[in-house]
């Protein structure tokens, strides 16, 4: 009986000691992972805040507390561990910090490689899904002043509308051997439904030989028409330039998310939302077979 009481007393003492325990030392490997995750999380939050000037900066203490909680530790454990490691004669903190920097470097290299792959896929998707909405092979010789064209999509109905997105203006041109800088221009004019006009001027660099040109035009929503106007500044004391212009193209570039979805449909033949596609087929089949008649319930598709 005394032996049993002795065991119970020891168990109670152990339980009480564990409930009142102080900060615990975090293993060096785990501390390295915690510091890496906290630094990466803080960097991501700072980048995300770049486009939100009115948002307060993230508190590093909150970030460390959240990361520590994921590993089962507290901020007191973190402070205690740092103090204990710094008091050692070997001072392992320098090695830990070096390892954290190496981990972040490896992660950055992997992220950059992944980012290049995503950019490559996105460029392929946008190139494969690009739509040439306006073209002309007319050859213009002499002055560029006054040459213009307008674009508006009327396929959806009588009301003209320019789909929002990025448009690439492409053409071949030359300005002659004695052309000067900032004398040839391309002016884009976007008119909204409310009548507001937004203009942008692009300057053509001098080109003695025929060369290709590409420029981007960004169009917002509710744009009624897009007009491209070529301009030229002429000096009376100099002979006029002999310009050449041909192979004009206006290409609509889809946003990356839409381009990826369109490319997936082209390659696989399926829509980007496979779940909704099969749900529609499933319920449509049940409806045709009488599965949705009165008194009959529609069984779930999942697991069938």
């Amino acid at each position: 009986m005394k032996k049993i009481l002795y065991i119970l007393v020891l168990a109670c003492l152990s339980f009480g000691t564990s409930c009142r325990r102080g900060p615990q030392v975090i293993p060096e490997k785990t501390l390295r992972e915690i510091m890496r995750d906290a630094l990466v999380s803080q960097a991501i939050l700072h980048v995300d805040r770049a486009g939100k000037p009115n948002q307060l900066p993230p508190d590093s203490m909150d970030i460390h507390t959240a990361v520590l909680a994921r590993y089962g530790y507290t901020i007191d454990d973190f402070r205690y561990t740092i103090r204990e490691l710094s008091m050692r004669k070997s001072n392992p903190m320098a090695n830990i910090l070096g390892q954290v920097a190496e981990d972040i470097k490896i992660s950055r290299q992997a992220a950059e490689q992944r980012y290049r792959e995503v950019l490559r896929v996105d460029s392929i998707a946008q190139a494969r899904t690009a739509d040439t909405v306006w073209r002309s092979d007319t050859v213009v010789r002499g002055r560029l002043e006054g040459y213009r064209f307008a674009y508006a999509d009327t396929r959806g109905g009588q009301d003209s509308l320019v789909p929002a997105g990025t448009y690439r203006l492409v053409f071949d041109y030359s300005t002659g051997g004695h052309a000067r800088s900032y004398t040839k221009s391309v002016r884009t004019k976007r008119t909204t439904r409310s009548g507001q006009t937004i203009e942008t001027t692009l300057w053509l660099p001098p080109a003695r030989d025929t060369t290709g040109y590409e420029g981007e035009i960004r169009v917002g929503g509710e744009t009624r028409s897009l007009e491209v106007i070529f301009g030229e500044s002429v000096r009376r004391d100099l002979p006029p330039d002999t310009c050449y212009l041909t192979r004009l193209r206006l290409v609509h570039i889809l946003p990356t998310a839409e381009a990826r979805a369109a490319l997936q449909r082209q390659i696989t033949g399926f829509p980007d939302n496979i779940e909704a596609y099969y749900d529609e087929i499933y319920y449509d089949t049940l409806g045709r077979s009488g599965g949705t008649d009165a008194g009959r319930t529609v069984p779930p598709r999942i697991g069938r």
Side-chain angles (χ1 to χ4, degrees):
M1 185 70 181
K2 291 183 179 180
K3 186 175 181 180
I4 295 175
L5 290 175
Y6 179 71
I7 293 174
L8 290 174
V9 169
L10 287 178
C12 292
L13 290 174
S14 300
F15 178 77
T17 304
S18 63
C19 292
R20 296 190 302 271
R21 71 168 182 83
Q24 56 180 329
V25 176
I26 304 174
E28 293 184 13
K29 182 180 178 181
T30 306
L31 180 64
R32 168 183 169 182
E33 296 174 354
I34 289 172
M35 296 178 72
R36 178 200 61 203
D37 292 353
L39 290 173
V40 171
S41 301
Q42 191 168 0
I44 292 174
L45 290 175
H46 275 292
V47 171
D48 182 64
R49 179 180 169 270
K52 306 170 184 176
N54 296 328
Q55 183 177 342
L56 294 176
D59 191 345
S60 59
M61 183 66 69
D62 295 338
I63 297 173
H64 280 76
T65 302
V67 173
L68 285 164
R70 194 164 70 241
Y71 284 85
Y73 296 98
T74 65
I75 195 69
D76 292 334
D77 298 333
F78 182 75
R79 291 170 175 165
Y80 178 75
T81 302
I82 296 298
R83 185 171 63 250
E84 288 294 317
L85 293 178
S86 301
M87 293 174 61
R88 293 183 187 177
K89 187 175 294 185
S90 59
N91 192 13
M93 280 303 301
N95 293 332
I96 294 175
L97 292 175
Q99 293 169 353
V100 170
E102 186 65 23
D103 291 344
I104 293 177
K105 179 181 178 181
I106 294 173
S107 300
R108 185 193 66 190
Q109 292 173 347
E112 290 176 349
Q113 177 64 27
R114 175 60 179 165
Y115 180 67
R116 286 192 293 268
E117 293 175 357
V118 171
L119 284 182
R120 180 173 175 273
V121 172
D122 289 344
S123 63
I124 292 174
Q126 288 182 320
R128 290 279 298 272
T129 58
D131 182 19
T132 302
V133 297
W134 190 93
R135 68 174 64 209
S136 174
D137 292 322
T138 302
V139 177
V140 178
R141 297 183 186 274
R143 294 184 57 184
L144 297 180
E145 180 69 29
Y147 185 77
R148 65 179 63 197
F149 69 88
Y151 166 70
D153 189 359
T154 58
R155 290 174 295 181
Q158 296 181 353
D159 188 14
S160 64
L161 184 67
V162 180
T166 301
Y167 289 81
R168 185 174 296 151
L169 179 64
V170 183
F171 55 84
D172 295 337
Y173 80 103
S174 65
T175 58
H178 54 275
R180 299 164 306 283
S181 300
Y182 301 106
T183 57
K184 311 293 185 298
S185 64
V186 180
R187 183 162 52 95
T188 61
K189 182 178 178 182
R190 287 146 289 179
T191 304
T192 63
R193 284 183 173 178
S194 61
Q196 181 183 4
T197 300
I198 304 172
E199 296 188 4
T200 305
T201 300
L202 308 172
W203 294 100
L204 296 177
R208 294 187 176 183
D209 301 321
T210 302
T211 185
Y213 175 86
E214 287 190 8
E216 287 192 352
I217 306 171
R218 299 190 181 275
V219 176
E222 300 297 318
T223 300
R224 188 179 62 196
S225 65
L226 170 63
E227 190 174 3
V228 178
I229 307 166
F230 288 82
E232 182 175 359
S233 300
V234 180
R235 290 180 55 180
R236 295 182 179 181
D237 58 332
L238 294 176
D241 297 331
T242 304
C243 301
Y244 172 83
L245 178 69
T246 190
R247 293 180 55 80
L248 278 88
R249 304 287 187 272
L250 186 63
V251 184
H252 184 207
I253 308 297
L254 291 178
T256 52
E258 296 181 20
R260 286 194 218 112
L263 183 62
Q264 176 181 328
R265 291 192 294 268
Q266 290 180 9
I267 295 176
T268 65
F270 291 100
D272 52 316
N273 193 342
I274 301 294
E275 184 86 15
Y277 173 72
Y278 279 111
D279 278 343
E280 182 180 356
I281 294 177
Y282 175 68
Y283 289 115
D284 184 60
T285 303
L286 283 177
R288 290 197 304 269
S289 62
T292 57
D293 290 344
R296 301 183 63 178
T297 60
V298 178
R301 184 179 66 85
I302 303 300
R304 292 179 61 87

